[in-house]
Amino acid sequence: DVRNATTLPLLLTEVQRTARPHAPHEEVRAMVEQALLAERELVVAPEWFAAWAAERGLEADIRLKSGRAHNELTRHRYEVVLHEGPSDGLDLAGVPALPWGREVSGLAALADCVKQAGDGPVRVTGIPNARLAEEADEARSAGVLSAAVPAGEP
């Protein structure tokens, strides 16, 4: 059970917006930057575990928290299971990535991709996380997050 460093700025933006709903964007951005520097709990990006495991001949199974609720636990935490030796997971390294919003525009397009693949795997990247959509929009408008908005519905 790990706190996600990638989504921490979103969480901190939400905290600042809740505490001071009418604060100007510049003030929110400054408070988030300060909170990031002052963070004392362990936060790790999921990609770190994948790289760390690969360097040691291990496999990292990174899983979003399950649950229907949209709360801090399901939005900003994930689980990591490390495996010695080969796991039962499917290796997608050789499968071409289809970017969400460009090559896959929604669920109907995804269904078409799955049909075309037949029995083969389909790998889609950049799918927006519906649990984070509101926080990401707020962080972008406050200037905390500069990444482009993925196209298509989460």
Side-chain angles (χ1 to χ4, degrees), residues 4-59:
N4 192 338
T6 306
T7 66
L8 184 60
L10 305 181
L11 172 62
L12 295 175
T13 301
E14 179 68 20
V15 168
Q16 294 304 327
R17 277 291 179 210
T18 301
R20 303 201 48 202
H22 303 294
H25 292 319
E26 299 79 25
E27 190 174 318
V28 170
R29 185 174 50 253
M31 289 186 295
V32 169
E33 289 172 2
Q34 184 178 7
L36 283 167
L37 293 172
E39 180 61 49
R40 297 180 63 117
E41 292 185 42
L42 177 67
V43 291
V44 181
E47 298 82 6
W48 183 87
F49 281 103
W52 183 88
E55 289 172 1
R56 288 157 180 78
L58 303 171
E59 292 194 19

